[in-house]
Amino acid sequence: MAEDAENKEIKEAADRLKNYGWKNITDSDRKTIMEYAEEYMEFLDMAKTEREAVEVARDLAVSCGFRDIDTVERLQPGDKVFGINREKSVYLAVIGREPLTEGFQAVGAHIDAPRLDLKQNPLYEDSGLALLKTHYYGGIKKYQWTTIPLALHGVVVLTDGTTVRVNIGEDPEDPVFLVTDLLPHLSAKQNVRKVADGVPAEKLNLMAGSIPLADADSENVKKNILAILKEKYGMEEEDFRSAEIEAVPAMKARSLGLDSSMVAAYGQDDRVCAFPALTALLRLEDAPRTSLCILTDKEEIGSVGNTGMESRNFELFLIKLLEKSGITSPYALQKMLSASRALSADVTAAYDPTYPEVMEKNNAAYMGKGISIKKYTGARGKSGASDANAEYVAYVRGIFEKEGVAYQSSELGKVDEGGGGTIAYILANRGMDVVDCGVPVHSMHSPYESASKYDIYAAFRAYKAFLGSM
Ligand code: MN
Ligand code: MN
């Protein structure tokens, strides 16, 4: 290409990027963005826990022609399959035209979110009140979880193998649960403690009842709660031992701002990437390479366990893809992984003008400017970073620029201010090319996070373009 023409092309690409954002979109784009956000908000309300997210993903996938991989004998290009890992994570694939050993394109997000889990012996009575003990899950600022309406979601598994689903607090007719806090009048000592110690973890107890059972001698209120649990769920107190019950904010997702340009909701880390990742795969028109969507559990506590990204159950899904495509070489799995590319679809911190002091303006992600590529994560001298190779970042931004997807490049806050990680390093350790690429959010890990509808739709377009690329 002649130098002049080349310069012109570079300038045009730069101008396009500068012009991204709300002010440059057409009315019809705006309508599309708003409609997609409505779908997303519905998803948020249906899928507040990892188990619920898996169920919703399975239903959507089945309605789009995906089949459980274990029911499929042989895979052909164009086939759509999913594998569910213990009801808490799900892997979905569209088989491409290229051989699987040439690698796949994957977008991976997590579907667990910070919350309060009930302990295994949660219920007790004190001073005429029934309470439930909790153990918080993930990185929370504990004071944020007091005096907000909480709903209980989860399962109680009985020894006969029956799984009883629990969901109390979402229906407007339902009661809610609550962690109390001190009144300001008696907070003199609490007020001078460090914010981190303001509400100790063992004070995150849920108010659960106050009516005593008429004919019991002691612990009357607790006995009444147990009687209600028996009637409603057929469970005994001991059954809490094999229960997974999560207290999550009972608030619904809402549009935020007078212009309704943002979404405020619980659990947007990382459902704001999980929903675009899922819908990008479900709506993929063409898969030259095999395309995957990974929705994983336990990211908030280190991606551990057999449902987290570290789990070898992910490899098992890949082995099934290979075997059912007729590839049985012992090296096929590693060959495929090393030739594969992924986007670690996780949120990043959006620049918050109320707290500019933790951000470095030139390398912050801004709300309403599109999806953000984070070349590296980590903290203190990139320690523990998953650092994508420049060649790979060029490949990814090339896709976005070609498709006209709004994107920015950022890192999480000022150097030495803090830091964070995602599932990226786990995929990278397996040999894949991977870069973090997600939606900027405000108030991450709080009970009510916010994100821009513009960026949410940009994520959908970005993931779809990536999945459909060679
Ligand atoms: Mn996350
Ligand atoms: Mn997180």
Side-chain angles (χ1 to χ4, degrees), residues 110 269-270 299-300 346-347 421-422 444-445:
H110 66 91
D269 175 6
D270 182 33
E299 192 278 340
E300 295 295 356
D346 207 343
V347 297
T422 64
M444 197 193 296
H445 287 199

Side-chain angles (χ1 to χ4, degrees), residues 153-363:
H153 292 228
V155 295
V156 183
V157 184
L158 310 180
T159 47
D160 68 1
T162 319
T163 299
V164 185
R165 290 189 46 153
V166 176
N167 188 314
I168 324 168
E170 297 294 345
D171 191 289
E173 305 287 306
D174 281 355
V176 294
F177 301 83
L178 188 72
V179 175
T180 56
D181 194 7
L182 273 177
L183 58 169
H185 319 65
L186 296 177
S187 294
K189 284 188 187 138
Q190 185 192 41
N191 286 345
V192 296
R193 288 208 294 270
K194 282 189 285 186
V195 173
D197 308 326
V199 178
E202 290 295 352
K203 291 196 189 292
L204 296 174
N205 304 319
L206 300 178
M207 293 292 291
S210 62
I211 299 178
L213 193 68
D215 54 359
D217 318 328
S218 63
E219 295 205 305
N220 296 342
V221 180
K222 175 178 167 177
K223 281 179 181 149
N224 190 41
I225 295 296
L226 286 171
I228 295 170
L229 288 172
K230 177 80 183 169
E231 194 199 322
K232 215 167 147 63
Y233 299 111
M235 68 179 281
E236 308 289 342
E237 185 173 14
E238 297 74 39
D239 294 324
F240 275 119
R241 294 173 185 172
S242 49
E244 289 176 352
I245 301 178
E246 310 176 7
V248 298
M251 297 97 83
K252 302 262 183 240
R254 305 288 295 266
S255 286
L256 173 65
L258 258 184
D259 56 6
S260 295
S261 58
M262 296 163 280
V263 172
Y266 163 69
Q268 296 203 74
D269 175 6
D270 182 33
R271 291 182 186 108
V272 74
C273 297
F275 184 72
L278 176 65
T279 47
L281 186 77
L282 299 183
R283 294 170 197 179
L284 199 64
E285 289 105 23
D286 182 44
R289 280 155 67 88
T290 293
S291 294
L292 259 70
C293 169
I294 303 164
L295 301 180
T296 187
D297 181 31
K298 296 288 187 286
E299 192 278 340
E300 295 295 356
I301 58 165
S303 297
V304 288
N306 63 5
T307 58
M309 199 62 243
E310 299 267 19
S311 167
R312 298 288 163 196
N313 287 333
F314 175 56
E315 267 92 335
L316 181 61
F317 177 75
L318 299 179
I319 290 168
K320 287 177 185 172
L321 290 182
L322 286 166
E323 281 185 349
K324 291 174 192 241
S325 303
I327 303 164
T328 52
S329 147
Y331 307 110
L333 177 65
Q334 191 53 52
K335 193 164 177 239
M336 169 169 71
L337 280 167
S338 295
S340 292
R341 310 187 188 106
L343 297 180
S344 162
D346 207 343
V347 297
T348 191
Y351 183 88
D352 183 346
T354 305
Y355 294 98
E357 61 276 13
V358 299
M359 292 290 182
E360 190 266 286
K361 281 196 164 181
N362 293 330
N363 289 281

Side-chain angles (χ1 to χ4, degrees), residues 115-118 134-136 140 145 150 179 204 245-247:
R115 62 192 188 236
L116 307 179
D117 285 341
L118 291 198
T134 69
H135 191 140
Y136 66 97
I140 63 165
W145 294 73
L150 297 167
V179 175
L204 296 174
I245 301 178
E246 310 176 7

